[in-house]
Amino acid sequence: MLPTNRSRTQPRAGRPWPLSGMDNSDSRRKPHVYGKLLMAVILTAFCILILKQSPKFRGINVFSRLEPGVTHVLVTGGAGYIGSHAAYRLLSNSYRVTIVDNLSRGNLGAIRVLQQLFPEPGRLQFIYADLGDARAVNRVFAENAFDAVMHFAAVAYVGESTLEPLRYYHNITANTLVILEAMAAQGVKTLIYSSTCATYGEPEKMPITEETPQLPINPYGKAKKMAEDIILDFSKRSDMAVMILRYFNVIGSDPEGRLGEAPRPELREHGRISGACFDAALGIIPGLKVKGTDYPTSDGTCIRDYIDVTDLVDAHVKALDKARPNKVGIYNVGTGKGRSVKEFVEACKKATGVNIKVDYLERRPGDYAEVYSDPSKINSELNWTARYTDLQESLSVAWRWQKSHPNGYGSPSAMAV
């Protein structure tokens, strides 16, 4: 039991009353405690001062507001081959750029290169997002003030589209609809759309003009045409400025060697012929497989119009500059000259200096015999002309990047944000 006669009339030894004066130990600790408090106050003030230099601390994000004299362009698919080159050109021309990419086909390494080349605040931002996620896309548009959209993001392999048609309709057609809805909701009025000559299918007459009937023969071309139709229908009921660029087979890379093409290894069999040539020259694959030697052409192989990526992005920038409200421009982007696959292979052998082994196989599903453009409309209306038309030279430029980047931009883990 507890004792009943315990007195509480005196304070316990060593237990100061709350309102009593400081004892000797408190007096000795006082300067030390005050010193710590003073240091904490100084550090806190310093941190606040540093944070106040941040635009976000002040509630200001340059990407979220329109600024006179600055054009802010959203580049979808800007981590990809063509999109990254376009972003570089826009940044070089003093545009403000936001790249949106889910990195399913793009390369984080390309983003890193652009960030290193343009480190100034307010020039470039990268947002990881999937255009198939409408909520994420709407958030991107709500939190940023865009003047224009360059829409590159798309899966883009003819052969793969015949194997996975639903994926192509979703990725190209449905995602374009998501972009248009977000543009409409936020009042973004300018669209530069990356389309393709595949929308024409296999025309009876060459060269292809913008008036050539669009009769695509593979899901890739069909999905792109559907997206074009949606854009055109929507533009009729709005004051949008729309430019649709239908381009042909893209080759080359940045002449200064800053950017290149680095497709994922698992996509090589569906990729561009230039990538396959380089893989064969590097010994990554045993040789080059040319699919189809019985087409009704001079040497039995397909004929294509090969456009250098530098010329292609120049066309996009000129289209952006010429875009006007309530106007739609549709342009073929090509050299106007067709080259056979056999010609291409020979040019690649000379560019690489490697006697590449070539196997000739059956046709690839969905391919067409001959496609080349008539670029006279874009020549006259946008003052654009292809300048890099030497096939071997374009391949030589691309080869230099491939040799210096045998692993592409590096593994995602090595380049992680």
Side-chain angles (χ1 to χ4, degrees), residues 24 114 200 227 246 257 343 354 379:
N24 289 337
L114 294 171
Y200 294 114
R246 298 171 184 158
E343 286 182 84
V354 178
N379 293 165

Side-chain angles (χ1 to χ4, degrees), residues 167-228:
R167 179 180 189 180
Y168 271 67
Y169 291 121
H170 177 83
N171 181 273
I172 294 172
T173 310
N175 287 5
T176 298
L177 180 58
V178 172
I179 287 287
L180 285 173
E181 289 173 335
M183 290 178 69
Q186 297 298 326
V188 182
K189 301 291 188 179
T190 302
L191 174 65
I192 314 300
Y193 183 61
S194 167
S195 193
T196 172
C197 64
T199 64
Y200 294 114
E202 195 167 13
E204 295 179 0
K205 183 180 177 181
M206 287 290 145
I208 294 173
T209 72
E210 289 78 4
E211 302 303 318
T212 298
Q214 289 179 286
L215 300 169
I217 63 173
N218 53 60
Y220 171 57
K222 291 175 183 178
K224 282 286 189 179
K225 183 182 183 301
M226 288 180 186
E228 283 191 21

Side-chain angles (χ1 to χ4, degrees), residues 63-64 74 76 100 127 131 134-146 148-149 178-188:
F63 292 95
S64 67
L74 167 62
T76 70
V100 170
I127 300 173
L131 299 186
R135 186 173 298 178
V137 172
N138 290 332
R139 185 166 58 250
V140 168
F141 274 83
E143 294 177 356
N144 294 275
F146 300 122
V149 176
V178 172
I179 287 287
L180 285 173
E181 289 173 335
M183 290 178 69
Q186 297 298 326
V188 182

Side-chain angles (χ1 to χ4, degrees), residues 2 7 44 72 90 151 170 191 208 396:
L2 292 174
S7 173
T44 301
H72 185 186
L90 289 168
H151 183 25
H170 177 83
L191 174 65
I208 294 173
S396 295

Side-chain angles (χ1 to χ4, degrees), residues 358-370:
V358 182
D359 293 323
Y360 293 97
L361 307 173
E362 294 182 356
R363 294 186 186 189
R364 182 174 61 177
D367 263 343
Y368 21 80
E370 186 177 30

Side-chain angles (χ1 to χ4, degrees), residues 23-98:
D23 62 11
N24 289 337
S25 62
D26 287 332
S27 299
R28 286 193 298 270
R29 284 199 301 266
K30 183 175 179 181
H32 183 62
V33 171
Y34 279 3
K36 285 186 175 182
L37 286 173
L38 181 61
M39 181 61 69
V41 169
I42 292 172
L43 288 173
T44 301
F46 179 74
C47 290
I48 291 173
L49 182 64
I50 294 298
L51 285 171
K52 281 187 174 181
Q53 308 307 311
S54 166
K56 288 186 177 180
F57 185 88
R58 299 194 302 267
I60 300 172
N61 178 1
V62 293
F63 292 95
S64 67
R65 58 185 172 86
L66 297 175
E67 186 175 331
V70 178
T71 303
H72 185 186
V73 183
L74 167 62
V75 179
T76 70
Y81 169 43
I82 300 170
S84 61
H85 283 76
Y88 172 76
R89 176 63 186 277
L90 289 168
L91 290 162
S92 298
N93 287 17
S94 299
Y95 288 87
R96 177 173 290 157
V97 174
T98 291

